Amino acid sequence: MKIKELLLIVFLLILAFSLRVYKLGVIPPSPDWDEAALGYNAYSILKTGKDEYGKFLPIVFRSFDDYKPPVYIYLTIPSVAVFGLNTFAVRFPSVVLGTLTVIITYLLVRRLFKNKNLAFLSALLLAISPWHLQFSRVAFETNAALFFNVAGVWLFLEGLTRPKLWVLSAISFALAPYTYHSARVFTPLLIMGLVFFFRINLFKNKKWAMTFGLLLLIITIPLGLTLLSPEGRLRLKGVSALADQTGVLRRDIIKIEDDQKNGFPFVNLIHNRRLTYALVVIDGYLRHFDLKWLFLDGDIPRHHAPGLGILYLWELPFLFVGIYQIAFKEKEARKIIFWWFLMAPVAASPTTELPHAVRTLTFLPTFQIMIAYGLLAALKKFPSLGLLKKLLIVPFLFFIPFNIFYYFHQYYVHLPIETSQYWQYGYQEAVEEVKKVYDHYDKIIVSTKLEQPNMFFLFYLKYDPQKYLREGGTATGGFADHRNKFAKFEFRPIADNEKFPPRTLLVGTQRELSEKAFKTIYYLDGTEAIKIAGM
């Protein structure tokens, strides 16, 4: 590797890391409940070897009556050991993996297309990508799974000339399903495509090909056994659009009854659950190619900067150019890129709340590669254009830096203010207020109308995990459950007109404590978040 290329990689590394680590602990403005749970469980493993439920070094973490893959929590342990239990420490592993994904994208594109300019531009677009930045600045496991998948593909391609690298590729691919749920579907599909496209190369290197397959199998066997358990199926039921069979099939039942009344034949063939389920999945799949979602408004507020989509608007024309150019000019590379691109939404297709930016982060970096290819093709064509066409394009050239600047302004300035309530903002401030008066009260009741307050109090108090487990640990993660408690704290609903003994501190919502509160915590937009009242 020449010095110039090395300097470009260093530039990408510095840029990607800087954008991801800048104000990491305060933007987004608060950890959400999943980040708090990831952090506290990493802290608990560090101190006791057990999770919040007292399970020793689990490969599946029970959390809020859901079950999380283990890799991100274990990756967070060194970060918590170095930086302490705080928001920065919980998010830092995602920063590192997001930065490395940018670098590996450069190496992947360079290997696949044999084009350094395309490799640099693809990696650069990923480094500044609104979609990738959004999830590599927070402790979202999907970002870690993306890293393992991208690294797996790159190592697999490098293994075509150095088959020993297939061992590392297998390990990387195998870790992805242990990191995020959607990788349990996407990663096998991605591997199937690679095996099919390069079946001749695999056949020529049977020993290393068999090693690749056996290693994948051995590492993922424990995960497979977990997926067959009730805990493994719980996540699928929780997010599946097909789980509510009554709701999904209701319209078909009505149509069958109407057709039977009118004497139409073959009603069960025309209106049946298999066809209905297939249409639900197809609809879910196609929603992820919605240009409005991608380029204009995104999905829920926690998944994008205010007023913007998850891709830059200026990238839209270059995306279409890139797709066309790759389809007709890149005979080998197009197979991998298009297979990757088309398989990315499959895991999310039968789920709810679609389109979903978290479950389909697997799209990356295919979008950036196609956009970069289209941009380079347009730049190559630009000198041959007539003067009038060049003048017409000039305003668009000014729009590109404006769009990028506008995104960063929206993200770093307006996102904290406009989305603080969606990030469960206010718990840190509430905990600090409670700590000031802690010795003045015998009991502290925290309302479960606040979202998962027990985990936030454990997180911000840095409550000793050994002591917490001796007191019983976490009972359940149900939203309205009243069994979770530690020290003076009880986490339960606060009933209307409930009578409390003296020296009781209440922490709850505006509706529950509007007339009793001596302290109000506000969201960053000025609306009320949490009330604190003393009896």
Side-chain angles (χ1 to χ4, degrees):
M1 187 176 291
K2 296 180 180 179
I3 187 67
K4 182 179 178 181
E5 186 177 9
L6 185 60
L7 288 174
L8 289 176
I9 292 175
V10 171
F11 168 77
L12 289 170
L13 181 67
I14 294 172
L15 176 66
F17 182 78
S18 299
L19 291 175
R20 283 154 182 77
V21 81
Y22 175 66
K23 290 190 175 181
L24 183 65
V26 294
I27 301 175
S30 169
D32 68 1
W33 58 49
D34 283 324
E35 290 184 283
L38 290 171
Y40 190 77
N41 276 282
Y43 184 61
S44 184
I45 294 288
L46 176 66
K47 297 294 185 180
T48 70
K50 299 177 181 179
D51 70 356
E52 62 182 287
Y53 289 90
K55 189 172 181 181
F56 182 73
L57 298 179
I59 62 168
V60 174
F61 282 81
R62 184 182 178 189
S63 181
F64 308 135
D65 286 346
D66 187 10
Y67 292 84
K68 297 184 182 300
V71 169
Y72 194 91
I73 291 175
Y74 287 112
L75 289 175
T76 306
I77 293 172
S79 183
V80 169
V82 173
F83 300 112
L85 181 58
N86 53 56
T87 306
F88 181 93
V90 176
R91 292 173 175 173
F92 189 70
S94 191
V95 168
V96 173
L97 294 177
T99 302
L100 291 176
T101 303
V102 171
I103 303 305
I104 294 174
T105 294
Y106 174 88
L107 299 173
L108 169 63
V109 177
R110 185 176 181 271
R111 174 64 177 78
L112 190 57
F113 289 88
K114 309 294 191 297
N115 186 326
K116 294 178 185 178
N117 291 332
L118 179 63
F120 175 76
L121 188 55
S122 299
L124 178 63
L125 292 179
L126 187 65
I128 64 172
S129 163
W131 198 348
H132 194 241
L133 273 166
Q134 189 76 19
F135 298 115
S136 55
R137 285 182 52 87
V138 289
F140 276 33
E141 301 103 320
T142 184
N143 182 57
L146 177 66
F147 164 77
F148 289 120
N149 279 321
V150 176
V153 175
W154 171 61
L155 289 165
F156 183 91
L157 294 177
E158 289 291 337
L160 297 175
T161 53
R162 291 179 289 168
K164 291 181 180 180
L165 290 176
W166 284 340
V167 172
L168 295 179
S169 177
I171 294 171
S172 189
F173 277 134
L175 287 173
Y178 281 100
T179 308
Y180 187 61
H181 301 287
S182 66
R184 296 168 181 176
V185 176
F186 172 73
T187 303
L189 290 172
L190 186 59
I191 294 170
M192 286 169 56
L194 292 171
V195 169
F196 178 76
F197 298 143
F198 298 101
R199 58 192 181 278
I200 296 175
N201 303 77
L202 292 167
F203 186 76
K204 289 179 180 178
N205 295 280
K206 293 190 189 73
K207 183 181 77 170
W208 291 109
M210 290 177 64
T211 303
F212 174 81
L214 284 172
L215 198 54
L216 272 173
L217 180 63
I218 291 168
I219 296 175
T220 54
I221 281 175
L223 177 64
L225 296 174
T226 300
L227 293 178
L228 295 174
S229 67
E231 294 84 359
R233 295 194 296 270
L234 184 64
R235 169 69 180 185
L236 179 62
K237 291 179 181 178
V239 301
S240 175
L242 309 180
D244 180 14
Q245 295 189 13
T246 303
V248 172
L249 299 177
R250 186 178 295 114
R251 285 176 295 177
D252 275 359
I253 294 170
I254 295 172
K255 290 176 183 177
I256 289 172
E257 292 174 348
D258 290 341
D259 285 352
Q260 287 174 339
K261 289 177 184 178
N262 291 295
F264 289 114
F266 311 116
V267 293
N268 289 322
L269 180 63
I270 298 171
H271 307 295
N272 67 83
R273 67 177 184 275
R274 295 171 187 83
L275 180 59
T276 298
Y277 289 157
L279 292 175
V280 168
V281 172
I282 292 170
D283 175 69
Y285 179 85
L286 293 176
R287 286 190 187 193
H288 291 97
F289 299 95
D290 180 358
L291 298 182
K292 187 171 182 286
W293 169 64
L294 290 168
F295 292 96
L296 292 178
D297 54 16
D299 43 77
I300 67 172
R302 285 194 303 128
H303 294 171
H304 63 98
L308 292 165
I310 51 180
L311 296 172
Y312 291 110
L313 185 57
W314 69 264
E315 294 177 320
L316 178 57
F318 300 113
L319 172 62
F320 289 114
V321 174
I323 291 173
Y324 177 84
Q325 292 282 332
I326 291 173
F328 287 97
K329 291 187 176 181
E330 299 291 343
K331 185 178 180 180
E332 293 300 320
R334 70 186 178 192
K335 294 183 292 187
I336 297 173
I337 297 301
F338 290 152
W339 176 259
W340 189 333
F341 183 70
L342 293 172
M343 292 302 103
V346 170
S349 299
T351 64
T352 57
E353 302 174 336
L354 302 182
H356 203 283
V358 176
R359 297 172 198 153
T360 54
L361 191 70
T362 46
F363 266 123
L364 308 184
T366 60
F367 271 111
Q368 286 70 36
I369 294 169
M370 292 185 291
I371 291 164
Y373 203 103
L375 181 56
L376 288 177
L379 290 173
K380 189 179 295 185
K381 187 76 173 176
F382 185 77
S384 63
L385 296 177
L387 179 60
L388 180 59
K389 290 182 178 179
K390 287 181 179 178
L391 291 175
L392 291 174
I393 291 172
V394 167
F396 182 77
L397 297 178
F398 281 103
F399 177 69
I400 293 175
F402 171 79
N403 194 192
I404 295 171
F405 173 80
Y406 182 71
Y407 160 70
F408 284 115
H409 176 74
Q410 290 295 101
Y411 181 86
Y412 289 109
V413 177
H414 291 281
L415 181 141
I417 299 170
E418 296 183 28
T419 68
S420 62
Q421 60 183 303
Y422 301 102
W423 288 96
Q424 287 90 53
Y425 178 84
Y427 282 105
Q428 183 173 10
E429 292 72 17
V431 168
E432 291 302 318
E433 292 298 326
V434 169
K435 285 166 65 176
K436 293 176 184 177
V437 297
Y438 184 83
D439 293 333
H440 299 159
Y441 295 91
D442 298 326
K443 181 183 290 187
I444 303 171
I445 299 174
V446 185
S447 172
T448 48
K449 291 290 178 66
L450 300 170
E451 296 170 311
Q452 305 295 359
N454 60 306
M455 185 52 64
F456 282 102
F457 273 76
L458 287 169
F459 180 84
Y460 285 118
L461 288 169
K462 300 178 176 61
Y463 196 73
D464 183 359
Q466 289 184 335
K467 188 175 180 182
Y468 182 60
L469 292 176
R470 284 198 301 269
E471 294 171 349
T474 302
T476 180
F479 281 90
D481 199 275
H482 57 272
R483 288 178 287 166
N484 290 316
K485 59 180 68 176
F486 65 88
K488 297 180 183 180
F489 295 93
E490 292 182 11
F491 300 89
R492 62 174 179 82
I494 297 175
D496 293 338
N497 301 317
E498 183 177 352
K499 301 298 182 182
F500 301 97
R503 293 175 61 87
T504 299
L505 185 68
L506 305 177
V507 182
T509 64
Q510 189 275 338
R511 189 188 66 79
E512 293 169 312
L513 304 176
S514 59
E515 298 179 0
K516 306 173 184 176
F518 67 79
K519 181 68 178 181
T520 300
I521 308 298
Y522 294 91
Y523 293 121
L524 294 177
D525 64 359
T527 57
E528 293 181 342
I530 298 173
K531 294 276 190 177
I532 302 174
M535 298 293 109

